Amino acid sequence: IKVLQDDNLAIQREAAESLQQKVDERTQDLELKNLEAQEAAQEAIFAKSESDRLRSKAENAQIDAEMAKSESDKLRAQAERQAEELEELDKQKTAFFQNISHELRTPLTLILNPLESACLRLPEDKEIDVAAKNSRRLLRLVNQLLDFEKLAAGKVDLKLTPINVVRFVHLC
C-alpha cells in the first residue's frame, strides 16, 4: 500500500508540478497579452488624439476656405459694380463729347459759310481772311475731337497713312 501511496503521491506531485507549470505558462501568456492590450490601448489613445487634432485642423482649414470664398465673392461683386459704374461713366463721357462737338460744329459751320463768302467778295480784307482761317482751324479741331471720341468708342477703325509733316505743321 505504501508503494501505491508513494506512487500515487508521486503522480499527484507530477500532476501538481505539471499543472503548476501550465498555470505559470498561462500566466505568462496572459501577462504578455495584457501588455499587448495596454500597448494597443495607448496606440488607440494616441491615434484618437491625432485624429482629433487632424479633424480640428481640417475644420479650421474649411473655415478659412469659406472666409476666403466669402471675401472673393465680395471682391468680385465690388469689381463688377465698379465695371458697371465705369461703363456708365464712359457712356456719359461719350455722349458729352458727341453733344459738345455737335453743338460747336453747327454754329461754326453757320459762321464759316458767310466768312468764306465774304473772303471771296473782299479778298483784300485780312481780318475776314484771319477769321475764316481760324474758323476752319476750330472746325478741324472739333472734327478731330469727334473723330477721336469715335475711335475711343470703337465706332471707327484707325487708318494710318503717311503725311507731309511740313505741310501738316504749316496748316496747323
Side-chain angles (χ1 to χ4, degrees), residues 73-85:
D73 290 345
K74 286 178 187 176
L75 290 174
R76 182 181 302 112
Q78 181 181 5
E80 289 172 355
R81 192 171 48 254
Q82 287 176 344
E84 289 170 1
E85 290 172 2

Side-chain angles (χ1 to χ4, degrees), residues 35-84:
L35 285 174
E36 289 174 356
Q38 287 176 351
E39 288 175 2
Q42 287 177 347
E43 288 175 7
I45 290 170
F46 176 75
K48 184 183 181 317
S49 171
E50 185 68 12
S51 171
D52 290 344
R53 186 185 69 80
L54 291 175
R55 181 181 301 112
S56 175
K57 189 175 180 180
E59 288 170 354
N60 289 339
Q62 184 177 5
I63 290 169
D64 289 346
E66 289 170 359
M67 289 173 57
K69 183 183 181 309
S70 174
E71 182 68 21
S72 172
D73 290 345
K74 286 178 187 176
L75 290 174
R76 182 181 302 112
Q78 181 181 5
E80 289 172 355
R81 192 171 48 254
Q82 287 176 344
E84 289 170 1

Side-chain angles (χ1 to χ4, degrees):
I1 289 187
K2 185 159 173 117
V3 171
L4 276 173
Q5 284 179 343
D6 286 340
D7 284 344
N8 191 14
L9 194 57
I11 290 174
Q12 284 179 353
R13 278 188 202 139
E14 265 182 44
E17 287 174 6
S18 174
L19 188 60
Q20 184 61 42
Q21 186 180 6
K22 286 183 182 179
V23 167
D24 289 343
E25 287 175 4
R26 185 69 180 141
T27 302
Q28 285 179 347
D29 285 345
L30 288 174
E31 286 174 353
L32 183 63
K33 298 281 186 194
N34 190 20
L35 285 174
E36 289 174 356
Q38 287 176 351
E39 288 175 2
Q42 287 177 347
E43 288 175 7
I45 290 170
F46 176 75
K48 184 183 181 317
S49 171
E50 185 68 12
S51 171
D52 290 344
R53 186 185 69 80
L54 291 175
R55 181 181 301 112
S56 175
K57 189 175 180 180
E59 288 170 354
N60 289 339
Q62 184 177 5
I63 290 169
D64 289 346
E66 289 170 359
M67 289 173 57
K69 183 183 181 309
S70 174
E71 182 68 21
S72 172
D73 290 345
K74 286 178 187 176
L75 290 174
R76 182 181 302 112
Q78 181 181 5
E80 289 172 355
R81 192 171 48 254
Q82 287 176 344
E84 289 170 1
E85 290 172 2
L86 284 175
E87 187 177 332
E88 181 60 30
L89 283 173
D90 188 50
K91 286 178 183 177
Q92 290 175 359
K93 180 191 72 149
T94 301
F96 171 76
F97 276 114
Q98 287 175 346
N99 287 339
I100 197 75
S101 297
H102 287 297
E103 292 298 324
L104 289 174
R105 189 181 351 186
T106 301
L108 275 173
T109 303
L110 294 174
I111 293 170
L112 191 58
N113 285 335
L115 280 175
E116 287 180 348
S117 295
C119 280
L120 292 176
R121 279 184 287 128
L122 304 168
E124 67 282 345
D125 192 345
K126 296 297 178 193
E127 289 178 353
I128 293 176
D129 189 43
V130 168
K133 181 179 175 186
N134 285 328
S135 294
R136 283 190 295 273
R137 183 169 183 236
L138 187 55
L139 181 61
R140 203 170 37 251
L141 289 173
V142 169
N143 285 337
Q144 286 175 357
L145 180 64
L146 190 59
D147 289 343
F148 178 75
E149 194 51 42
K150 285 179 184 176
L151 279 172
K155 294 180 179 177
V156 176
D157 291 332
L158 181 64
K159 295 177 185 170
L160 300 176
T161 57
I163 62 166
N164 183 343
V165 176
V166 175
R167 186 168 179 259
F168 176 74
V169 170
H170 184 351
L171 286 176
C172 292

